[in-house]
Amino acid sequence: MGLLGSLAMLLSVLCILCLPGLRAESHGASIDLARARSLDVLLQDYAYRAFNRPRTGIAYDGKVPSNLTGITISAMRLRRGSLRRRGVNAYKEFDIPTGVVVEPYVERLVLVYQNLGNWSAVYYPLPGYSYLAPVVGLLSYDASNLSATNLPELGLTATGPPISISFSGVRSVPGGSTARCVMFDLQGMTIFSNVSFGNVCSSIEQGHFGIVIESTAPSPAPVLPPPPSPTPAPSSSKSGQKNDNKKWWKIVGSSFGSLIVLSLLLMLVLWVQKYMQRKDLEEMENISEFEEALQICRIGATFAPMARSTRTPPVLESEIVP
């Protein structure tokens, strides 16, 4: 039973890994996680600076340093209980459903939105892939002190429907390629999933998201073939000999197959003949059992059949003893 249980567990894991949208690949080596996390710290500081007498549930766009032009940020303060009961509809590209759990416990939190624009491939490079849309991020922080910096992220997990990310301005997919959703979690893991209709990706947790396709490597420069061999004749004769050999084997094969078919037909004819002879013999034996042959006797100059004597000879009435 231990072996069967191990096999069943292995099959279950393989089935889960083969399901679309659940295949994860780690590209931590290609992403400078420390650099990406330092950018999150900087953008959290500048996003909090956008609050000026903030109102709950209102998005406030922030400004980034001049050396990061092209990146856009926004911040929204929410109550933890309200986020879980109501969710957030259309916060930039993000739709947050009801049932989202925030850990550890805080009374209020801030959702910081990031759009990395043309910096997407700089902070989140993916060798072998090209971005069809900029990387966008959603991170949650404690809102008890809106002037705090270097805050750790809170845990944000969807326990019901997943968080959906609707990308706009997605470049068209080249023919023969397939667009994929990509997610970068806070530990540097890269997770690929399928793109839903309308360029929508889904996730059960916070992080950074994008749409990519596999990039085709440039074709290598053509290599000039070596000069032709001065004796090409043997190769042609060899090829001709190979063709002759193939034809000969085809003829032999067809002849052998015809011989087998004829042998089977002959065996069938012999079997039918023997079967008919056996049936005739059985009929003659049946006739001999049920019919009695008459004896031939001579009466004068004539030969005529004569029945055998009866088994019970007649008895005169006078011979019957009373």
Side-chain angles (χ1 to χ4, degrees), residues 113-140:
Y113 164 82
Q114 306 174 4
N115 187 322
L116 301 187
N118 55 357
W119 294 86
S120 300
V122 176
Y123 284 94
Y124 293 95
L126 272 181
Y129 291 88
S130 299
Y131 283 101
L132 297 180
V135 172
V136 295
L138 183 70
L139 302 176
S140 58

Side-chain angles (χ1 to χ4, degrees), residues 51-181:
F51 286 128
N52 183 13
R53 297 181 179 179
R55 297 176 57 187
T56 301
I58 303 298
Y60 294 86
D61 295 334
K63 294 182 180 180
V64 297
S66 58
N67 60 341
L68 293 177
T69 301
I71 296 178
T72 58
I73 56 175
S74 181
M76 178 186 292
R77 190 178 67 165
L78 298 167
R79 292 182 180 272
R80 177 178 179 272
S82 177
L83 174 63
R84 181 167 186 175
R85 291 191 304 269
R86 302 178 184 176
V88 178
N89 185 25
Y91 177 34
K92 304 297 184 180
E93 287 90 347
F94 291 88
D95 282 327
I96 304 174
T98 59
V100 172
V101 176
V102 179
E103 294 180 350
Y105 177 83
V106 291
E107 183 177 353
R108 295 174 182 267
L109 69 150
V110 174
L111 296 179
V112 173
Y113 164 82
Q114 306 174 4
N115 187 322
L116 301 187
N118 55 357
W119 294 86
S120 300
V122 176
Y123 284 94
Y124 293 95
L126 272 181
Y129 291 88
S130 299
Y131 283 101
L132 297 180
V135 172
V136 295
L138 183 70
L139 302 176
S140 58
Y141 300 92
D142 186 4
S144 58
N145 183 4
L146 297 181
S147 61
T149 59
N150 201 18
L151 291 175
E153 291 84 3
L154 302 173
L156 190 70
T157 306
T159 60
I163 301 170
S164 62
I165 308 100
S166 301
F167 290 87
S168 59
V170 180
R171 293 190 289 114
S172 59
V173 180
S177 301
T178 303
R180 303 295 306 277
C181 296

Side-chain angles (χ1 to χ4, degrees), residues 32 116 220 241:
D32 190 344
L116 301 187
Q241 184 178 1

